[in-house]
Amino acid sequence: MSTARWIDSDAELAEVVAELVTVERYAIDTEFHRERTYYPALALVQLAWEVPGGQEVVLVDPLGVDVHQFVDLFQSDAEAVFHAAQQDLDVLTSAVGAIPTRIFDTQIAAGFVGYGTPSLVSLVQGELGETVAKGDRLTDWLRRPLSDAQREYAAADVVYLLELERRLLAQLAELDRVEWAIEACEELRRRPTGAGEPLDAWTRLKDVKGLRPRSRAVAQAVAAWRERTAASRNVPVRQVLPDLAILGIAQRRPTSDKELSQARGVDDRFNRGKIAAQLLEAVAAGNAADPPDPLPSADDLERDLRPAVTLVSAWVSQVAKQARVDTAMLATRADLIAFLSGDPDARLRHGWRAELAGEGIDRLVSGRSALTFDRGAGLKLVDL
C-alpha cells in the first residue's frame, strides 16, 4: 500500500488541489461523525491519484486546513471516484458547500455487473483478490493525533478505487452498460444533499402513513419545528423531540399544556415552559395549514391496478437477477407505484430502467403482453 502523506496546512492543501485539478481522475473518501451533532463533522478527507510509477495518497486534516479550497477541485473537470458516495456527498455539501461535477461510484457500477450493493472490502476481494483490513468501525476520527494504524485504515479506502474503476469499466463495456453506470452515478450526484427542507422532515417519520389529513398537517409543522431547532443548536433531532412524541402530538393536536402532557411520547421535558409554548405554537400552525399530500402507497393506485404491484415486483426481481443488476437499484416498491400510477417522472420511464424493465411493465399493464411461468426459466413476458 502507498504511504499516505498527512496534510494539515493550507499551503500543503493548495499544492494538492493545484495538482489534482490537472488530473483526469482521483479517488476520494471521507471520515466524519454525526452522532452528537445535527450537521456532520468532517474529520478526514482521503485522496489518491496516479503519478508516474504509482499512486500519491494524502490524508487531509479538516481540523487544520480551510476545506473550502476543495471548491476549485470540485469545479474542475477531474472525475471523483467514490465508493458508496451518498454520505460523502452529504458531508461535503455541509463542510465545503460543493460537490464534484463528475463522479464515478464503484458501488453503483458494481451493481450493473452482478454485485448487490457490495462493501468496499467485498468488492476489493472479489475484483482484485486483496484482503482489506476492516479496522475499528468505532474509531474517533476527530481525535488527534491519529495512530499509524488509523491512518493506514483510512488510506485503504482510496488506494484501490482507481483500479476498481478500471476493472468495472471493462466489464461494463463488455455488457454495453457503461452509459447505464454513468447515468446512475449522475442521478446520485444530482440527488438532494444536506439537511433538506424542514417542511419535508415529517415524511421521514415511521408510521406516518396512518395519520389523517389534519394530523398530517400538525406532524409536518411539529417535525419542521424540531428540524429547525436541531439545526440551530447543532444537535441530533432525537435530542430535541423523539419521533413518538411528534406522532402523539399530531394525533391529539393539543391546545394546552395539560393536553400536551397527555400526548404519547411527551414527557416532563416537553410539556411545560418555553418548549411547550413552542410546540403548541407549531400545533396551532399545523391546524391552520393545508394538509400535505399523503405519502405514496399502493392504496393510491386505482383498485384494479393494486394487484399488479406484487406481480410486477416479482417479475422485476427476476429481470434484475437475470441481467445481473442489483434489484434495489433497478426498482424499489415506490418506483413501481409511481410507474403504475402514471407519473411521467417515474424512474422506470426513463433511461436504462425503461430499457431493462419499464417498457415490459408498460406492455404488461396495457394488456399487450402477459406473464407465464416456466419451471426452468421462471416468469416470462410473452406478447399477446
Side-chain angles (χ1 to χ4, degrees), residues 180 312 315-316 319-320 330-331 335-336 338-340 343 346-366 368-369 381:
W180 290 11
V312 170
W315 179 70
V316 166
V319 168
L330 174 57
D335 289 326
L336 296 177
F339 184 93
L340 293 171
D343 183 353
R347 297 198 302 173
L348 280 161
R349 295 190 182 279
H350 304 281
W352 66 273
R353 292 185 179 87
E355 180 180 342
L356 194 57
E359 294 168 2
I361 298 172
D362 191 46
R363 293 200 307 272
L364 181 63
V365 297
S366 66
R368 290 176 288 141
S369 295
L381 193 68

Side-chain angles (χ1 to χ4, degrees), residues 10 13 62 64-70:
D10 286 336
L13 179 56
V65 303
D66 179 4
V67 295
H68 292 95
Q69 291 189 69
F70 281 116

